[in-house]
């Protein structure tokens, strides 16, 4: 991966971080990325492995249930529904407010036409779909208040970048265990960019994991001026 691509991806994640902090009224330094990756959804495939694997749908879930450190989420779209793929709505699944509950007889008739699995999924629930377009994003808190899913893609390929952020503070002990702790000068920040992000070198899987963890813990310090540390 080129240095230009790495920097572009970092800029993207940082813009999302700043947007979430602004929209939710959070001090920027209290919000750190925990994970971000590209995701490819391909019609007719079944996901294998982790969240970055291919597949043509995502089951109903909450992000915080996947990882307790996920507190805010974002999905940025790199392709457009109706152009690059069909289907594949991102759908929020919420309880229906009492004042919006459908007529009982009409609702029972609709449920009779569904499978048991679909009946359980839909009973008492309100669906709010989002139709992905390139450059658009959804941002939301990661708890049970925002259950969501991705409907099945019927044709084409859908690309997205899920990002997850945490408000868990980094303990001082974690910085003390690093080879180089918190950056204290602009030169320290530049060194961190080179060592943690841009250095192209051979490393073992363990070394790679350690480097990425240090990068995420130092993220705010690397992306904000010293006066905002």
């Amino acid at each position: 991966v080129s240095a230009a691509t790495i920097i572009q991806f970092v800029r993207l994640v940082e813009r999302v971080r700043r947007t979430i902090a602004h929209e939710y009224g959070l001090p920027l330094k209290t919000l750190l990325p925990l994970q971000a990756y590209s995701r490819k959804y391909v019609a007719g495939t079944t996901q294998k492995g982790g969240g970055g694997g291919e597949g043509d749908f995502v089951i109903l879930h909450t992000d915080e249930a996947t990882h307790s450190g996920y507190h805010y989420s974002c999905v940025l779209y790199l392709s457009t529904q109706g152009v690059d793929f069909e289907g594949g709505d991102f759908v929020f699944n919420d309880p229906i407010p009492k004042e919006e509950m459908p007529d009982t007889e009409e609702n029972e008739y609709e449920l009779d036409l569904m499978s048991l699995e679909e009946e359980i999924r839909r009973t008492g629930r309100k669906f709010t779909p989002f139709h992905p377009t390139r450059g658009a994003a959804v941002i939301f808190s990661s708890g049970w208040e925002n259950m969501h899913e991705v409907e099945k893609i019927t044709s084409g390929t859908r690309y997205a970048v899920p990002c997850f952020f945490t408000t868990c503070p980094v303990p001082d002990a974690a910085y003390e265990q690093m080879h180089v702790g918190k950056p204290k000068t602009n030169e320290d920040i530049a060194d961190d960019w080179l060592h943690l992000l841009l250095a192209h070198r051979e490393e073992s899987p363990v070394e790679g994991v350690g480097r990425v963890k240090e990068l995420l813990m130092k993220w705010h310090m690397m992306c904000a001026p010293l006066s905002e540390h």
Side-chain angles (χ1 to χ4, degrees):
V1 179
S2 69
T5 299
I6 293 171
I7 291 175
Q8 184 72 3
F9 191 80
V10 169
R11 289 182 64 190
L12 174 68
V13 175
E14 178 61 7
R15 288 185 68 179
V16 170
R17 184 177 79 102
R18 289 173 179 266
T19 300
I20 291 174
H22 173 77
E23 291 297 326
Y24 284 91
L26 303 170
L28 185 60
K29 65 181 180 180
T30 66
L31 189 67
L32 294 174
L34 205 56
Q35 190 175 37
Y37 54 88
S38 60
R39 176 74 194 270
K40 181 181 180 182
Y41 303 79
V42 182
T45 62
T46 301
Q47 181 178 331
K48 297 179 181 179
E54 291 185 8
D56 59 7
F57 73 99
V58 178
I59 62 172
L60 182 64
H61 68 286
T62 68
D63 296 329
E64 195 172 28
T66 305
H67 192 303
S68 62
Y70 291 170
H71 298 143
Y72 294 91
S73 304
C74 172
V75 183
L76 177 71
Y77 296 100
L78 305 181
S79 46
T80 299
Q81 187 184 61
V83 177
D84 304 300
F85 64 92
E86 297 293 341
D89 276 343
F90 178 99
V91 182
F92 286 110
N93 185 318
D94 299 301
I96 297 178
K98 289 183 178 180
E99 61 273 15
E100 296 181 17
M101 287 294 288
D103 177 75
T104 303
E105 290 186 7
E106 181 180 340
N107 190 47
E108 287 180 352
Y109 174 75
E110 291 180 357
L111 293 176
D112 285 341
L113 302 177
M114 300 178 188
S115 66
L116 178 60
E117 178 183 358
E118 189 69 4
E119 181 179 341
I120 293 172
R121 174 173 167 264
R122 288 181 173 273
T123 300
R125 310 298 295 182
K126 176 182 180 180
F127 291 175
T128 306
F130 179 82
H131 309 299
T133 58
R134 184 179 180 182
V138 286
I139 290 174
F140 51 96
S141 56
S142 306
W144 289 98
E145 69 279 4
N146 280 314
M147 296 179 68
H148 57 281
E149 60 194 307
V150 176
E151 293 184 339
K152 189 170 184 176
I153 296 169
T154 56
S155 66
T157 302
R158 176 185 187 270
Y159 292 95
V161 178
C163 309
F164 306 98
F165 299 82
T166 186
T167 56
C168 294
V170 178
D172 287 335
Y175 294 113
E176 294 169 2
Q177 294 172 4
M178 297 176 185
H179 179 66
V180 178
K182 296 179 181 180
K184 296 180 175 61
T185 66
N186 288 327
E187 289 73 19
D188 290 341
I189 294 174
D191 286 343
D192 277 337
W193 272 84
L194 288 173
H195 170 67
L196 299 176
L197 196 64
L198 299 178
H200 291 266
R201 61 183 183 274
E202 291 187 6
E203 59 185 5
S204 69
V206 173
E207 290 172 330
V209 169
R211 177 176 57 80
V212 172
K213 283 185 176 180
E214 185 172 338
L215 165 66
L216 296 177
M217 286 189 284
K218 287 184 172 180
W219 186 281
H220 176 76
M221 298 174 187
M222 292 173 60
C223 295
L226 289 168
S227 59
E228 296 180 11
H229 288 192

